Amino acid sequence: MSFRKEKKFRVTVSDFYKFQDQLYQQGMETLFEPRLITSVYFDTVGLNMFHDSEEGVLPRKKVRIRWYNDDQLFTFENKTSSIEGRFKVTSKLENSASENEIFTRNRLDAQYGHIQPTLKVSYNRSYYVFNKMRITFDKDICYQNLKYADKRKYYDPERVIEIKIPANCPDDFVETLIPFPT
């Protein structure tokens, strides 16, 4: 199990491209080909995981099922945030799993109890490396609330930049390089 620190920055479209260009000029390199990421997040009826995240409670976790592009290769992920940093445990779901099953199947979590699908998020992600940091740029972000019958979609006009660094890096390391609030 390896721990790491993650920082997310919500930025405008203009700042997104300016910052991406600035990092390219300073030596940022492509790590992987861009891809579409889709995740279905699970939570309790009272959204306890969400509230723990908003309040910064440690330890806390995110439980999700994720897939890439239009592949039907689903991965079940338990992502834990603790004092030591963040770590993720993943397992492949059976090939027989369908997207419909993902949206309807409830689960039991040891920390939170009964959890159910609550939110679907999809976005296009580009992957880079810069100064030993992994940097991702997310755009075309779409949210879909799965708790209500209408399941309306919301398209986010902003973008997200995420920085991932080893747990032993100083807390202010990222802030010295990134000019945006987390």
Side-chain angles (χ1 to χ4, degrees):
M1 173 179 340
S2 65
F3 290 93
R4 67 181 179 202
K5 294 179 183 176
E6 299 176 355
K7 301 273 187 172
K8 289 186 176 153
F9 304 88
R10 189 178 177 101
V11 297
T12 65
V13 173
S14 175
D15 285 341
F16 180 89
Y17 287 113
K18 281 183 204 172
F19 187 62
Q20 195 173 41
D21 287 343
Q22 175 188 343
L23 290 180
Y24 266 131
Q25 292 174 15
Q26 295 176 15
M28 181 174 74
E29 297 178 5
T30 300
L31 190 59
F32 303 114
E33 287 297 313
R35 59 186 175 177
L36 173 68
I37 297 176
T38 305
S39 299
V40 172
Y41 288 87
F42 289 74
D43 207 336
T44 64
V45 171
L47 302 176
N48 294 0
M49 290 182 190
F50 168 76
H51 293 299
D52 283 356
S53 179
E54 287 293 299
E55 294 171 15
V57 171
L58 294 177
R60 65 179 180 271
K61 69 168 69 170
K62 290 180 187 175
V63 176
R64 66 186 176 207
I65 293 175
R66 177 169 275 188
W67 63 98
Y68 300 92
N69 297 323
D70 291 325
D71 296 339
Q72 296 294 302
L73 302 172
F74 302 110
T75 304
F76 184 76
E77 300 179 355
N78 257 313
K79 191 171 183 181
T80 301
S81 296
S82 68
I83 293 170
E84 296 86 7
R86 292 193 172 113
F87 67 94
K88 181 169 54 173
V89 177
T90 64
S91 59
K92 300 264 187 241
L93 292 179
E94 297 177 20
N95 289 342
S96 62
S98 68
E99 194 169 332
N100 185 49
E101 179 186 349
I102 290 168
F103 290 135
T104 59
R105 183 173 175 210
N106 297 326
R107 299 178 179 274
L108 190 61
D109 179 76
Q111 182 178 348
Y112 287 93
H114 178 76
I115 57 175
Q116 62 192 20
T118 57
L119 179 69
K120 179 180 178 184
V121 180
S122 63
Y123 47 90
N124 287 297
R125 173 169 279 178
S126 299
Y127 301 83
Y128 301 92
V129 64
F130 177 72
N131 285 349
K132 300 182 183 177
M133 294 183 295
R134 181 173 154 190
I135 302 175
T136 56
F137 290 86
D138 299 342
K139 63 182 182 178
D140 306 323
I141 304 167
C142 176
Y143 306 96
Q144 187 176 17
N145 188 332
L146 301 177
K147 288 183 65 165
Y148 302 108
D150 69 3
K151 296 184 180 29
R152 272 186 245 173
K153 293 181 179 181
Y154 170 74
Y155 296 91
D156 197 327
E158 293 188 308
R159 308 289 171 94
V160 173
I161 300 169
E162 184 175 29
I163 311 294
K164 297 177 183 178
I165 57 174
N168 60 356
C169 282
D171 286 338
D172 63 349
F173 177 73
V174 173
E175 284 80 3
T176 62
L177 300 170
I178 311 298
F180 309 110
T182 56

